[in-house]
Amino acid sequence: MSKAYNTSLIEKKWQKIWDEKGTFYASEDTDKPKYYALIEFPYPSGKGLHVGHPRPYTALDVVARKRRLEGYNVLYPMGWDAFGLPTENYAIKNKIHPRIVTENNVAKFKQQLKSLGYSFDWSREVNTTDPEYYKWTQWIFLKLFEKGLAYKQEFPINWCTDCKIGLANEEVVNGACERCGGEVVRKIKNQWMLKITEYAEKLIKDLDLVDYIDRVKIQQTNWIGRSEGAEVDFEVAGKGEKLRVFTTRPDTLFGATYMVISPEHPMIEKYKDDINNMDSIIEYKDMASKKSDFERTELVKEKTGVEIDGLKAINPVTGKEIPIWISDYVLMSYGTGAIMAVPGHDTRDWEFAKKFNLPIIEVVKGGNVEEEAFTDIQTGEMINSDFLNKLNVEEAKKKITDWLVEKKLGERKINYKLRDWVFSRQRYWGEPIPLVHCEKCGWVPVPEEDLPLTLPEVDNYEPTENGESPIAKIRDWVETTCPKCGGKGERETDTMPQWAGSSWYFLRYTDPHNNEEFASKESLEYWLPVDWYNGGMEHTTLHLLYSRFWHKFLYDIGVVPVPEPYQKRTSHGMILGENNEKMSKSRGNVVNPDEIIEDFGADTLRMYEMFIGDFEKSVPWSMNGVKGCRRFLDKVWKLQDMVVDGDEYSKDLMTNMHKTIKKVSEDFETLKFNTAIAALMSLINDFNSVGKITRGEMRTFLILLNPVAPHITEELWEILGFENMISDQQWAKWDEDKTVDDEIEMAVQVNGKVRGTIVIAVDANKEQAKAKAMEDENIMKHIDGKTIVKEIYVPGKIFNIVVK
Ligand code: ANZ
Ligand code: ZN
């Protein structure tokens, strides 16, 4: 009889062996083909590992382990995205240096990850807060600066008056800070910006080169938001001034009955002396400045606005004078900050026109513009549009644009929704931006040989009242000499955002200890691109886009060998609490992975997270599910008592073995971990009904289960005296022919009507089929007393007997 299944003993034992042997170290020194599997490295928060973390980590661990058995040299690395606000806030509150907080958190995370038995190559661990790492983050920033892709600009940001920090639009809810509820105001700050917009076109186009799940491609494409259209000049009556708009529908120009400019449009300031209602305009501007862009452009909300009294525009095709309004639904940050309003064919303009009683002209026939805007561009035909009449929208667009270009009234234009990346943070715990400001020379890079520019020691990490970084107070760090002229200079005191270090970490993994370069050419050539990258959907338009941008830039300056960093991208769903809500302390539904490992074992946790449901969907946690997985592994453990000699598969199990190998092999590739496990569960039931298993069957079973439950399978492998370790074996192969059942059910027809079914061997001949058919009463009933004139037999498919 076997010993008890002692998870803690077995799991610690194998983790130690893997560690000592360096079983999962990747090396470039091999003839094997490479495979680079990657998951998003975690932010080591003080809360420790969440049960959500192991879902993607286990999934790609399964892939990595399978690939090794398939003969690949696999890189599956891990590291820490460790700069960031929570650590800094914790440090401020508890008066501990963020570096120490980070060290502690990393130690805790690492111990937790090790207890899950991942096949990470721990010799390549990276940490974004390590000066030897961020030296290269700074280096890349300087390259961007050198090429003109980093610039400093006055930029309105959402400023939380309590946190004293800039917030992203998504972080402002009803004018208040999402974190603390504090008041959010717009504050103009001089910020470092990265010109990601320069890569907008490539970031869309090169999605063709990669194999990302559709929803990722779609989200990125929409986020970049490419719009083709035209810019058109409208004359401001009597001012010799042009008001330029961006439109995607130049074909509707004859229907432009008024214009709208953004409340921040510079024209207001310029013509303030000509405007008779400046008071109401200023009042409106104030109100608008309190809203986020998101709120301003929400479709559902009631339109507001003020007509500018004193300025009129002239529609360039009709020559008619039209009013100019200001409204917050027009953003200064998009296009030209001004629009031609076509209420007949644009929904927002239509609502605005209805509210303020502005004229609506139908220029595309097809709807009823008194009822709603007609926005279809496929079916309509132009009317009320002079030389465009009778054309369809597409033709009209082309014709009017040509006309505008010819008359020098406008030009073709492509716009993107994508904005440049605000790259400054006024906080301590981030990479210092390695630039010095000199009165004479302007912004001067810190020389490469002086990198890393390390963070100064400060006593107080609190941001300052005026919104400057706490570093600004360390005068002897700030005051320096200009690297160019040797005169007096001051260091930039903003730090980089957390997205910096994660924008290139996958490159560092290829050669993490290199002191000369961020990675050697050979390592990059060998390992890139990442073959399979799995990560959260919430990073699609942040980290995933940012890192593609940095990578493309590095490709353009010739320091990485491939244009795209990640060949394949997949994404996992969230794990919710047992009550189907997001796990959180306040909801009391948090599951601690340590406790699951303690009570059930790491293999059970790994297996459960792979079995829990469709990998791409959110699913609630279930303790019953965990127990079910543990019961399965208990059954696996007991298999050792049923093993009999024989390297072959037995006749009874032959088809099932081949079928299961095929199913598991394919499902592991297509994120169907749950159905792969189900197949293994069903195979064990077959083992149990047969009552014994050959060594050959057991061997294959252990190999198939190994990627999901690596500890128990290595242990059984050893107990049963198989050679070496599973990690040294080859992935199981299946024989397609043998995946088909030897016996099948076949319908038997008499004169084209099904009269019964027979069970026969797949390769049975007509005589054998006929013999079986004759045993069937119902079939015989239809044949008896008649003459068989024809027998049509299609092996494996059908048997048709024709009688007279
Ligand atoms: C006239 C027009 C007629 C428009 C029509 C649309 C339909 P996307 O696809 O998002 O690029 N627009 C331009 N700049 C704007 C700004 N700064 N703030 C708010 N709206 C702005 O949409 C471009 C369209 O959005 C432009 O085309 C313009 O309205 C508006 F039947 O011009 B359109
Ligand atoms: Zn200088």
Side-chain angles (χ1 to χ4, degrees):
M1 267 308 276
S2 50
K3 289 182 292 184
Y5 172 34
N6 182 332
T7 54
S8 137
L9 214 71
I10 294 170
E11 291 174 356
K12 291 215 175 69
K13 167 183 159 185
W14 287 102
Q15 284 158 19
K16 187 150 172 268
I17 293 173
W18 296 329
D19 246 359
E20 284 171 2
K21 287 198 167 193
T23 308
F24 305 118
Y25 286 6
S27 105
E28 287 89 87
D29 185 21
T30 161
D31 302 331
K32 292 180 183 175
K34 70 93 184 181
Y35 197 86
Y36 187 173
L38 184 69
I39 37 93
E40 287 170 346
F41 62 164
Y43 174 65
S45 83
K47 294 190 201 117
L49 206 68
H50 180 279
V51 286
H53 287 114
R55 199 180 195 190
Y57 301 173
T58 309
L60 280 221
D61 197 45
V62 167
V63 173
R65 284 173 178 273
K66 176 169 181 265
R67 282 290 178 284
R68 287 192 196 93
L69 300 187
E70 287 170 336
Y72 286 87
N73 176 35
V74 173
L75 172 56
Y76 188 39
M78 185 39 115
W80 317 104
D81 188 13
F83 276 127
L85 257 191
T87 299
E88 183 166 339
N89 289 341
Y90 183 88
I92 291 172
K93 209 161 141 203
N94 297 283
K95 308 217 178 312
I96 314 176
H97 196 290
R99 186 174 5 91
I100 310 286
V101 179
T102 301
E103 266 168 30
N104 294 339
N105 292 351
V106 162
K108 164 88 175 138
F109 256 75
K110 188 166 176 182
Q111 173 265 322
Q112 288 184 299
L113 289 177
K114 287 216 162 182
S115 75
L116 271 149
Y118 290 128
S119 66
F120 294 132
D121 178 348
W122 284 108
S123 73
R124 294 176 185 247
E125 182 179 348
V126 302
N127 184 329
T128 54
T129 65
D130 177 355
E132 286 310 305
Y133 179 92
Y134 72 65
K135 167 181 179 175
W136 299 108
T137 312
Q138 292 174 330
W139 183 88
I140 297 171
F141 175 83
L142 288 184
K143 291 287 157 196
L144 287 158
F145 177 78
E146 221 174 79
K147 302 286 173 194
L149 293 171
Y151 63 99
K152 205 163 191 184
Q153 194 189 49
E154 297 256 296
F155 196 81
I157 57 166
N158 305 305
W159 180 258
C160 171
T161 47
D162 283 356
C163 297
K164 300 188 187 74
I165 186 172
L167 302 173
N169 282 343
E170 297 78 19
E171 294 169 317
V172 183
V173 181
N174 299 326
C177 171
E178 183 206 45
R179 307 158 199 261
C180 74
E183 194 196 351
V184 175
V185 294
R186 277 188 171 244
K187 185 165 177 148
I188 304 285
K189 282 214 62 92
N190 215 354
Q191 307 251 41
W192 284 100
M193 310 281 291
L194 295 187
K195 262 191 213 165
I196 188 173
T197 49
E198 194 136 306
Y199 280 78
E201 187 72 36
K202 277 188 186 167
L203 286 167
I204 291 186
K205 215 171 114 256
D206 286 0
L207 285 172
D208 289 343
L209 307 177
V210 292
D211 168 26
Y212 291 2
I213 52 173
D214 284 344
R215 53 195 175 121
V216 170
K217 281 196 184 183
I218 291 166
Q219 266 193 30
Q220 286 208 343
T221 308
N222 290 346
W223 183 259
I224 297 166
R226 185 180 192 277
S227 280
E228 261 185 61
E231 285 190 352
V232 185
D233 286 328
F234 283 62
E235 214 181 290
V236 182
K239 295 281 178 289
E241 165 98 22
K242 297 220 149 55
L243 181 52
R244 181 163 268 229
V245 304
F246 170 68
T247 176
T248 44
R249 297 289 306 276
D251 54 295
T252 62
L253 192 49
F254 286 89
T257 54
Y258 63 102
M259 297 185 79
V260 185
I261 65 175
S262 152
E264 298 85 18
H265 199 284
M267 218 180 78
I268 298 169
E269 187 56 30
K270 185 165 177 190
Y271 290 102
K272 60 172 187 273
D273 295 338
D274 302 275
I275 299 174
N276 307 319
N277 57 342
M278 243 353 236
D279 286 353
S280 9
I281 291 202
I282 287 168
E283 195 182 317
Y284 188 81
K285 274 171 71 107
D286 272 357
M287 198 186 72
S289 74
K290 296 213 172 79
K291 293 189 195 166
S292 72
D293 283 2
F294 178 74
E295 288 174 82
R296 284 172 53 161
T297 47
E298 258 180 322
L299 267 181
V300 287
K301 65 145 218 199
E302 172 111 353
K303 296 277 167 298
T304 57
V306 179
E307 183 179 351
I308 300 179
D309 177 5
L311 297 178
K312 295 265 182 219
I314 294 169
N315 182 319
V317 279
T318 62
K320 283 209 183 96
E321 225 173 55
I322 55 177
I324 307 175
W325 287 65
I326 66 169
S327 172
D328 63 4
Y329 81 90
V330 175
L331 304 176
M332 198 55 224
S333 53
Y334 187 65
T336 62
I339 66 157
M340 63 183 220
V342 184
H345 305 282
D346 179 279
T347 306
R348 291 166 305 177
D349 298 345
W350 187 89
E351 283 166 2
F352 194 88
K354 278 286 172 196
K355 170 145 181 198
F356 295 108
N357 235 331
L358 292 155
I360 300 175
I361 299 175
E362 181 180 46
V363 289
V364 187
K365 207 162 69 187
N368 178 357
V369 298
E370 280 313 313
E371 294 292 316
E372 60 179 350
F374 177 67
T375 57
D376 191 352
I377 52 170
Q378 309 292 344
T379 59
E381 183 188 292
M382 305 307 298
I383 51 165
N384 298 327
S385 296
D386 197 318
F387 60 93
L388 300 178
N389 284 342
K390 294 225 150 50
L391 298 178
N392 66 34
V393 167
E394 208 42 54
E395 293 160 347
K397 265 188 196 173
K398 192 178 172 313
K399 186 155 186 185
I400 186 76
T401 312
D402 288 342
W403 185 88
L404 289 165
V405 170
E406 195 195 294
K407 295 268 187 300
K408 298 207 165 28
L409 290 167
E411 55 199 274
R412 292 198 152 71
K413 174 81 185 178
I414 295 167
N415 262 327
Y416 299 90
K417 289 268 153 35
L418 186 68
R419 299 276 72 98
D420 277 344
W421 173 7
V422 183
F423 200 68
S424 287
R425 297 292 182 275
Q426 293 73 38
R427 298 299 293 228
Y428 177 76
W429 197 228
E431 302 87 346
I433 291 177
L435 292 172
V436 173
H437 192 261
C438 164
E439 294 272 294
K440 253 195 287 165
C441 316
W443 287 105
V444 181
V446 170
E448 210 176 306
E449 59 273 19
D450 293 346
L451 299 181
L453 171 63
T454 53
L455 279 166
E457 293 298 323
V458 303
D459 299 325
N460 185 357
Y461 313 106
E462 303 249 12
T464 58
E465 271 311 311
N466 62 3
E468 268 183 332
S469 154
I471 304 176
K473 287 178 294 194
I474 313 296
R475 294 312 297 174
D476 60 348
W477 185 85
V478 174
E479 285 163 19
T480 182
T481 49
C482 168
K484 206 160 160 190
C485 72
K488 267 218 270 186
E490 290 212 348
R491 294 191 190 283
E492 172 59 63
T493 59
D494 283 356
T495 52
M496 300 187 196
Q498 205 191 343
W499 309 110
S502 58
S503 289
W504 72 281
Y505 75 114
F506 56 95
L507 299 174
R508 187 64 175 170
Y509 281 143
T510 69
D511 192 11
H513 308 293
N514 194 327
N515 291 326
E516 309 296 315
E517 301 161 277
F518 64 85
S520 74
K521 273 229 143 49
E522 298 75 53
S523 312
L524 294 167
E525 290 275 356
Y526 181 77
W527 287 113
L528 291 182
V530 170
D531 293 281
W532 188 338
Y533 189 19
N534 185 85
M537 274 316 278
E538 72 277 16
H539 292 144
T540 305
T541 54
L542 295 164
H543 157 68
L544 192 67
L545 199 63
Y546 294 153
S547 59
R548 287 184 63 220
F549 160 46
W550 275 34
H551 188 89
K552 288 188 159 309
F553 165 72
L554 294 172
Y555 177 70
D556 285 350
I557 63 168
V559 293
V560 296
V562 290
E564 281 287 332
Y566 320 116
Q567 189 51 45
K568 170 172 175 169
R569 169 80 175 188
T570 56
S571 196
H572 54 276
M574 259 205 303
I575 293 186
L576 305 169
E578 214 146 2
N579 58 358
N580 230 327
E581 288 171 21
K582 203 178 155 172
M583 274 193 200
S584 74
K585 233 192 202 153
S586 58
R587 293 190 180 95
N589 60 355
V590 176
V591 179
N592 180 347
D594 292 344
E595 282 168 20
I596 304 294
I597 294 175
E598 170 90 24
D599 296 346
F600 300 94
D603 281 341
T604 296
L605 177 57
R606 293 172 58 112
M607 177 162 196
Y608 173 61
E609 296 222 359
M610 292 299 91
F611 190 55
I612 189 167
D614 184 337
F615 182 70
E616 301 196 69
K617 299 222 168 83
S618 294
V619 274
W621 186 264
S622 150
M623 261 346 261
N624 278 334
V626 175
K627 287 176 194 153
C629 287
R630 172 59 199 245
R631 274 197 300 277
F632 170 75
L633 291 180
D634 285 332
K635 282 197 214 167
V636 171
W637 184 251
K638 288 200 191 105
L639 290 180
Q640 57 182 301
D641 299 326
M642 289 165 54
V643 175
V644 298
D645 279 348
D647 294 335
E648 308 292 314
Y649 301 152
S650 63
K651 199 168 154 289
D652 287 345
L653 289 167
M654 183 71 77
T655 313
N656 264 341
M657 288 303 296
H658 285 277
K659 261 190 186 168
T660 311
I661 299 170
K662 177 175 178 180
K663 176 91 183 137
V664 172
S665 304
E666 291 178 350
D667 285 1
F668 279 173
E669 296 300 323
T670 47
L671 303 176
K672 289 190 221 131
F673 305 100
N674 51 338
T675 50
I677 292 170
L680 289 169
M681 289 176 166
S682 128
L683 184 61
I684 258 208
N685 289 339
D686 295 332
F687 286 169
N688 282 320
S689 49
V690 171
K692 58 177 197 274
I693 29 175
T694 66
R695 287 181 68 78
E697 286 153 3
M698 185 64 174
R699 198 175 189 286
T700 298
F701 180 81
L702 291 176
I703 288 174
L704 295 180
L705 181 61
N706 173 261
V708 177
H711 308 88
I712 190 176
T713 47
E714 283 287 15
E715 182 71 13
L716 287 170
W717 189 267
E718 187 183 78
I719 290 173
L720 292 166
F722 290 116
E723 70 284 9
N724 299 326
M725 290 176 18
I726 293 199
S727 328
D728 306 317
Q729 306 306 313
Q730 280 183 7
W731 186 247
K733 293 194 174 58
W734 74 91
D735 187 339
E736 193 66 47
D737 293 345
K738 295 196 174 124
T739 60
V740 232
D741 289 301
D742 329 341
E743 294 205 316
I744 51 158
E745 270 188 17
M746 185 184 280
V748 179
Q749 300 178 335
V750 179
N751 288 354
K753 281 219 174 71
V754 176
R755 297 302 183 188
T757 52
I758 52 173
V759 176
I760 50 162
V762 195
D763 51 357
N765 61 27
K766 189 163 74 178
E767 267 39 64
Q768 289 162 325
K770 192 170 170 186
K772 276 270 179 182
M774 298 299 138
E775 288 168 18
D776 186 294
E777 250 176 61
N778 195 44
I779 299 172
M780 281 315 290
K781 219 165 66 193
H782 292 89
I783 297 180
D784 263 352
K786 302 186 176 139
T787 335
I788 296 178
V789 289
K790 204 169 176 189
E791 288 161 359
I792 307 153
Y793 178 65
V794 188
K797 295 246 157 56
I798 198 143
F799 188 22
N800 188 9
I801 304 169
V802 184
V803 295
K804 241 181 32 197

